[in-house]
Amino acid sequence: MIFERTNYYAKPGREAAVLATRRKANAVRVALGLPAGSIYLKAGGEGPDVSWECEFADAATHQADLKARAESAEFERVRSEMREAIARFERHLESRDADLSGRVGARTLAGLPIVPRELAFQSGGLTLKGFLYMPPGTGPFPCMIRNHGSGIQQGSTDISRPGTASWLLSWGIASFLPHRRGYGNSPGTPWRQDCSAEFGTPEYDEQIARRLDGESDDVLAALDFVETLPEIERDRIGVMGSSFGGVNTLLAAAKSDRFRCGIDFAGAAMNWDRTPQLRRLMLAAAHRLTRPMFFIQAASDYSIRPTIELAAALAGSGKVIESRIYPDYGINRDEGHLFESTGQLLWAPDVRRFLERWL
């Protein structure tokens, strides 16, 4: 990966003209079929008034870009305008340090098939299945165990969930999506058979709390399995999930201090208001946490009480807890509830920052 950065120092009073000309240059680039790149403005202190940055997959791609600019009469006219408005110009070519020193760092996924390996692991006498995604490069890599929600039914073809995995891969993080008992490609009783009472009744509350607590043991079994893989850094494994997967993230993290950190998206959002026993189970689990946890939801989810109340319960406890309610997402509660699987563009910067620090 090569980064080209150009810096423009405006003549006195010509700052607006420099910005307008750089924007014009970007429009010409797009017309030539080149990536626009990004424009930056000075926000204070010393330095250029305007900067432009663009990344290229390799040296050949960058050279082709330079050639296209040189052969464009329109681009040369824009360059002439810029020369009239600036007192100084700089061009820098950089590459990212390949030595990430074991930390989370950016990877390019250009040309990489986002296809996992299906693996088997043991839990409670059952042979469960899961999907392992590996980043480009030489491992071992840190890894997040990703916990699905209730929607991966047995026989479903929507089973490997590559969306969030791709973001993790782009940060140099492997991920393992275990299918818990009774879901997807794994054997066992489907959760609705174990939770057959009417929703909102005490019987349903007891059933769902018992079922999800048992499922969290499958998450621990997945941790045991992932720790044995040579391509994974066994002391840098985190856990994350949404909805039922968020509940399982919290319950599993409370049962083991081997997870480096956890991220709970919308855990119990559809159940929290009607299931006091499940609430008590999750609150008790939160108090047993020994590792950093990040609670995340969109404001338009079914209920944002889980994020608010779990974070509030741990305020002042000395535990590393983060929480964020993002603005409304989508036009109904179902879309708001799917924030983890479809809203990565919004939450990714915060999650990456959290993982850079704690994974």
Side-chain angles (χ1 to χ4, degrees):
M1 184 73 69
I2 291 177
F3 297 86
E4 178 183 351
R5 188 175 186 88
T6 54
N7 296 328
Y8 306 92
Y9 297 80
K11 292 178 180 178
R14 301 298 303 278
E15 292 84 1
V18 170
L19 174 59
T21 306
R22 184 59 252 184
R23 287 173 174 169
K24 189 183 297 185
N26 276 26
V28 173
R29 288 183 60 81
V30 172
L32 293 173
L34 304 174
S38 299
I39 298 173
Y40 300 89
L41 307 181
K42 182 167 68 174
E46 301 297 324
D49 297 284
V50 176
S51 296
W52 172 81
E53 183 177 86
C54 192
E55 64 180 60
F56 304 90
D58 49 37
T61 305
H62 181 243
Q63 288 300 315
D65 191 284
L66 290 173
K67 185 173 184 291
R69 287 180 248 175
E71 293 177 349
S72 168
E74 182 62 24
F75 200 84
E76 181 55 38
R77 282 192 286 271
V78 175
R79 279 177 165 162
S80 296
E81 289 183 31
M82 185 66 84
R83 285 192 285 267
E84 293 296 320
I86 59 174
R88 179 181 163 196
F89 171 77
E90 298 173 342
R91 186 191 308 276
H92 300 279
L93 298 180
E94 302 169 343
S95 60
R96 184 177 282 119
D97 184 2
D99 179 10
L100 299 173
S101 302
R103 304 308 303 164
V104 173
R107 304 289 200 283
T108 177
L109 302 185
L112 180 74
I114 309 300
V115 179
R117 291 153 48 199
E118 185 175 14
L119 302 174
F121 66 102
Q122 300 299 311
S123 179
L126 296 174
T127 300
L128 306 182
K129 298 297 183 66
F131 291 89
L132 179 68
Y133 291 86
M134 296 300 299
T138 303
F141 296 101
C143 182
M144 293 297 291
I145 292 178
R146 296 169 47 230
N147 296 313
H148 59 76
S150 61
I152 297 185
Q153 301 176 9
Q154 289 175 328
S156 171
T157 57
D158 179 22
I159 56 174
S160 69
R161 305 293 168 90
T164 295
S166 299
W167 284 87
L168 294 171
L169 294 179
S170 74
W171 304 334
I173 302 173
S175 72
F176 184 63
L177 179 76
H179 286 187
R180 303 184 300 276
R181 63 189 71 174
Y183 295 95
N185 289 2
S186 290
T189 305
W191 77 272
R192 289 191 180 278
Q193 291 185 27
D194 280 344
C195 305
S196 58
E198 182 181 355
F199 175 73
T201 64
E203 292 78 14
Y204 173 85
D205 189 11
E206 179 182 358
Q207 290 171 351
I208 195 68
R210 182 171 60 249
R211 168 73 192 210
L212 293 176
D213 189 43
E215 287 183 17
S216 68
D217 292 335
D218 296 337
V219 180
L220 295 179
L223 172 62
D224 292 338
F225 171 70
V226 170
E227 285 181 331
T228 69
L229 300 177
E231 57 264 59
I232 300 301
E233 292 186 70
R234 61 172 298 157
D235 61 345
R236 294 186 61 204
I237 301 173
V239 61
M240 65 187 294
S242 178
S243 194
F244 275 14
V247 177
N248 274 281
T249 291
L250 175 61
L251 298 181
K255 292 179 178 181
S256 175
D257 62 2
R258 290 179 291 150
F259 292 111
R260 287 285 289 263
C261 60
I263 305 171
D264 174 354
F265 285 88
M270 298 176 71
N271 287 274
W272 188 270
D273 294 346
R274 302 282 297 277
T275 53
Q277 183 169 329
L278 179 60
R279 287 201 304 271
R280 288 192 295 272
L281 177 68
M282 293 177 66
L283 285 164
H287 283 289
R288 295 197 304 274
L289 289 173
T290 60
R291 299 292 190 172
M293 182 66 66
F294 194 179
F295 296 102
I296 294 175
Q297 282 190 268
S300 51
D301 204 340
Y302 281 87
S303 171
I304 58 174
R305 285 180 59 195
T307 291
I308 293 172
E309 294 179 20
L310 286 165
L314 297 176
S317 66
K319 300 178 186 294
V320 178
I321 300 297
E322 294 191 32
S323 66
R324 182 168 178 184
I325 304 294
Y326 291 79
D328 286 355
Y329 182 76
I331 62 173
N332 55 48
R333 294 184 299 175
D334 284 331
E335 292 181 335
H337 191 58
L338 294 175
F339 186 58
E340 182 271 335
S341 63
T342 63
Q344 295 97 334
L345 187 65
L346 302 176
W347 56 253
D350 293 320
V351 168
R352 177 173 176 174
R353 171 189 52 78
F354 179 81
L355 294 177
E356 284 177 341
R357 183 170 186 184
W358 300 113
L359 183 59

